[in-house]
Amino acid sequence: MLWRVHWELGSTADAVLLCSLAAALWCLWGRKSQKPSLVCSEMFRDFLREHCPAVSESFSPTPWCWGGRLQTLLCVLIKSRPHVAYRNERIRTPDGGQISLDWADNDGSAAYPEASTRPTVLVLPGLTGDSRQTYALHAVRRAARHGYRCVVFNNRGFGGVELLTPQTFCAADTSDLEQVVRHVKSLYPQSPLFGAGISLGGMLLLNYLGRKGAESGLVAGWTVSAPWDALKSADSMEEALNRLLFNRHLTRGLCDAVRRHRRVLEKVADIEHVLEARTIREFDERFTAPLFGYESCTEYYRHASPAERLSRTAVPVLCLNAADDPFSPQHAFPLGAAKELPNVALLVTAHGGHIAFLEGLFPRAAGYMERVFGQFARAVLEHPHDARKACGLPGGLNGK
């Protein structure tokens, strides 16, 4: 009898505790669940709300890791890695280098059985990233589900290929991307080409679209977690906690790449000095800036920041950022430009971190980020004339 009373009391206490915890999580989840801010022209907003409904949905971050830093860290650890079978292609550059392209051809596409007209999604990974990153795999799987072909542009020295010349990559140099676009368009001239840039890949894509204008060869561009002002991003990443959690890790990745290709790069850089870098800014000051002809890291960062080139883009562009992204601070978002430009939309969530946007109690599968990507890709690839009309742009299916 005494045992039964003890069990019932204990069970009641446990139940109350569990219910209280569940209620607290539910309350917190409700408070953190907010509709994103969509900054763009009225016509573009109407188009997006009709064909990309995720822009109007509330984003509810995972209740037990809604903070930007925690989302960024846990995304790498817990998000699933879907299987993607790539076909690798290596193309040579005019200076004797090589670029690795990983193709997911999707030859079994029921929606687009003809390879010549099957839409192509060009994926640009982030700093030190390649086609095997979780975000790239999920993007490729999402695009394949809609019947599209994908090609991932691995930056020089990444994607499992050797660096043949002392030339790497940076956010300000779009020459390799220009060659990749020409190559893809030469293989599939009738296939509409959609660009998707992640983090530094987003900076590169936006800089390319701004430089090429109507001659970009793309029908549209989508970015996630792109840093808009490299100087402000560097300042944010050098805050004490961000430096400890992210900056040192990324700097080690950059130094590892230099060490991996030391034999080639020691012709143009003091490798030992470079390897002593402890922050991304130090690495860029010692390696990236001088390699690409800049007098200082500050000059390079100003040239690499894509916000000033938005006005020269000539295709529909949707950019997803989180206000709590430690890599891309909110005060650098080009809200004013997005309000004025007819073809640029900036979608800002209160939470989401850097390339994370985790939602649900067990956020292993694709989430909000992939949903926005997939819906926008379908919107512009399957309604191209409506998209260009909404953005006040001349018609044309192939981005010519």
Side-chain angles (χ1 to χ4, degrees), residues 136-164:
L137 297 173
H138 276 283
V140 171
R141 285 290 296 271
R142 177 71 57 148
R145 184 186 305 172
H146 298 318
Y148 309 145
R149 169 178 45 233
C150 283
V151 55
V152 183
F153 164 36
N154 299 297
N155 287 305
R156 292 204 203 194
F158 289 86
V161 300
E162 289 297 317
L163 199 63
L164 301 182

Side-chain angles (χ1 to χ4, degrees), residues 104-370:
D105 296 297
N106 202 10
D107 288 330
S109 171
Y112 301 95
E114 291 293 330
S116 62
T117 56
R118 185 179 307 139
T120 304
V121 176
L122 174 61
V123 180
L124 285 69
L127 185 69
T128 74
D130 58 23
S131 63
R132 297 296 173 182
Q133 300 299 311
T134 299
Y135 56 73
L137 297 173
H138 276 283
V140 171
R141 285 290 296 271
R142 177 71 57 148
R145 184 186 305 172
H146 298 318
Y148 309 145
R149 169 178 45 233
C150 283
V151 55
V152 183
F153 164 36
N154 299 297
N155 287 305
R156 292 204 203 194
F158 289 86
V161 300
E162 289 297 317
L163 199 63
L164 301 182
T165 64
Q167 177 76 11
T168 58
F169 66 95
C170 74
D173 182 23
T174 61
S175 57
D176 281 354
L177 178 55
E178 291 179 29
Q179 182 176 352
V180 169
V181 171
R182 286 196 302 269
H183 176 71
V184 174
K185 293 297 290 183
S186 70
L187 294 175
Y188 304 103
Q190 301 305 313
S191 169
L193 182 59
F194 176 92
I198 297 93
S199 190
L200 179 133
M203 298 176 71
L204 187 62
L205 177 63
L206 292 166
N207 284 329
Y208 170 79
L209 291 174
R211 289 200 176 105
K212 300 297 289 185
E215 304 300 319
S216 70
L218 275 65
V219 297
W222 176 83
T223 69
V224 60
S225 300
W228 290 98
D229 185 313
L231 283 166
K232 293 177 181 178
S233 289
D235 291 341
S236 177
M237 288 290 283
E238 287 168 3
E239 294 176 5
L241 193 52
N242 292 339
R243 180 168 178 156
L244 175 65
L245 294 176
F246 309 113
N247 206 326
R248 291 182 179 178
H249 173 73
L250 286 172
T251 305
R252 281 196 297 269
L254 291 168
C255 289
D256 287 344
V258 168
R259 191 178 290 108
R260 199 162 57 243
H261 303 290
R262 179 172 189 147
R263 182 181 59 82
V264 175
L265 293 176
E266 62 186 3
K267 302 173 184 176
V268 295
D270 181 348
I271 300 301
E272 289 303 323
H273 185 54
V274 171
L275 295 180
E276 292 174 355
R278 293 297 176 264
T279 65
I280 296 173
R281 195 197 302 256
E282 286 183 1
F283 179 89
D284 287 335
E285 184 73 54
R286 300 175 185 191
F287 182 77
T288 311
L291 184 66
F292 285 89
Y294 294 102
E295 293 184 0
S296 67
C297 183
T298 299
E299 182 187 12
Y300 160 52
Y301 281 175
R302 285 175 178 161
H303 198 238
S305 301
E308 298 302 319
R309 296 190 180 89
L310 276 180
S311 61
R312 297 193 289 274
T313 59
V315 297
V317 178
L318 175 61
C319 305
L320 174 61
N321 284 91
D324 61 359
D325 185 344
F327 291 58
S328 183
Q330 183 180 13
H331 61 270
F333 296 172
L335 300 177
K339 290 178 182 177
E340 298 295 327
L341 297 172
N343 65 306
V344 175
L346 188 58
L347 184 64
V348 181
T349 60
H351 303 284
H354 189 72
I355 328 177
F357 299 92
L358 301 176
E359 59 183 356
L361 288 177
F362 305 101
R364 283 184 52 77
Y368 184 76
M369 176 174 69
E370 291 83 7

